[in-house]
Amino acid sequence: EAGVAQSPRYKIIEKRQSVAFWCNPISGHATLYWYQQILGQGPKLLIQFQNNGVVDDSQLPKDRFSAERLKGVDSTLKIQPAKLEDSAVYLCASRRPSSYEQYFGPGTRLTVT
Amino acid sequence: KQEVTQIPAALSVPEGENLVLNCSFTDSAIYNLQWFRQDPGKGLTSLLLIQSSQREQTSGRLNASLDKSSGRSTLYIAASQPGDSATYLCAVRADYKLSFGAGTTVTVRA
């Protein structure tokens, strides 16, 4: 089966600009996650979707970050406006309903200058 | 709040040596613990998942143990190879969330 797809793979923007990342989970995976991984740290959960509903967004900086999962398939994560500390790899993961195992995409590396 | 710690942060060994990677966590009320591998520029690949009721899991040259009461897990990689060079992360699941450690970066020298 095809894996989790993410785009773009790399993005460089200036602070105060906006950026959007896209994720296409594995077919049939109802649960979708967005993680932020800062260099030298483990991934931190930003938001979890179950189909097109938000399950957990407690660690999402809602003043600048937003995410949506229309139709319960693809998802978009947006940052507006970006700050220097948003430089990180943004990972998308998905999971089928009957399993605990999460499958991760290759990530998008964001550099904010 | 669950805190996951991995020590050492980096490790370099000659080819053929056995690897021992450590993971500790503060809250023993977990559902399971998972070990991942991350290659540069890539996402995470699941290696082993240990349920809270299990003591260990094995897959090929990999063996992971879990001591839930003491909040520790160890990943053993036997007879290391240069292809094992990567960052290894452990993650614990509680309340349907994964909490990750910062990882141990392993270099296997040919």
Side-chain angles (χ1 to χ4, degrees):
Chain A
E1 61 184 358
V4 177
Q6 290 188 247
S7 68
R9 293 295 313 278
Y10 306 92
K11 190 74 177 179
I12 300 174
I13 62 172
E14 296 182 351
K15 59 183 179 184
R16 291 187 290 275
Q17 287 186 324
S18 60
V19 64
F21 312 128
W22 174 81
C23 172
N24 187 1
I26 294 172
S27 178
H29 284 201
T31 308
L32 185 147
Y33 308 82
W34 282 103
Y35 290 89
Q36 180 193 58
Q37 186 177 21
I38 293 172
L39 186 64
Q41 299 181 19
K44 181 185 81 171
L45 178 68
L46 292 175
I47 189 166
Q48 177 184 342
F49 290 96
Q50 180 71 22
N51 296 308
N52 60 350
V54 175
V55 174
D56 184 353
D57 63 357
S58 57
Q59 298 194 89
L60 187 73
K62 297 181 186 65
D63 57 335
R64 297 183 302 105
F65 285 64
S66 65
E68 60 182 9
R69 192 183 183 197
L70 301 176
K71 301 180 182 178
V73 180
D74 295 10
S75 178
T76 303
L77 177 68
K78 296 179 181 178
I79 307 175
Q80 181 180 7
K83 293 185 175 181
L84 295 177
E85 58 262 36
D86 298 332
S87 294
V89 175
Y90 291 84
L91 295 163
C92 179
S94 69
R95 174 175 68 84
R96 66 171 65 94
S98 58
S99 170
Y100 283 122
E101 187 168 5
Q102 296 182 23
Y103 293 81
F104 284 79
T108 296
R109 181 175 297 277
L110 173 69
T111 302
V112 182
T113 62
Chain B
K1 180 187 172 187
Q2 180 76 264
E3 300 286 344
V4 182
T5 303
Q6 292 185 249
I7 296 174
L11 188 59
S12 179
V13 299
E15 183 177 4
E17 191 165 301
N18 296 332
L19 285 163
V20 180
L21 308 179
N22 298 302
C23 172
S24 62
F25 47 95
T26 54
D27 187 347
S28 61
I30 64 170
Y31 293 116
N32 56 49
L33 182 144
Q34 203 164 354
W35 283 94
F36 292 88
R37 169 181 172 140
Q38 186 172 33
D39 292 285
K42 303 284 181 64
L44 279 64
T45 301
S46 178
L47 297 174
L48 291 167
L49 185 150
I50 312 176
Q51 301 291 354
S52 60
S53 58
Q54 295 177 312
R55 298 284 294 186
E56 65 179 309
Q57 275 282 3
T58 299
S59 176
R61 294 185 294 112
L62 277 59
N63 173 275
S65 65
L66 173 64
D67 184 341
K68 200 175 76 161
S69 60
S70 67
R72 294 173 189 246
S73 176
T74 303
L75 178 67
Y76 301 89
I77 303 177
S80 62
Q81 303 167 359
D84 295 328
S85 297
T87 298
Y88 293 83
L89 298 103
C90 73
V92 296
R93 177 179 307 280
D95 293 335
Y96 306 104
K97 291 183 184 180
L98 276 182
S99 298
F100 285 84
T104 295
T105 299
V106 171
T107 302
V108 180
R109 308 186 303 272

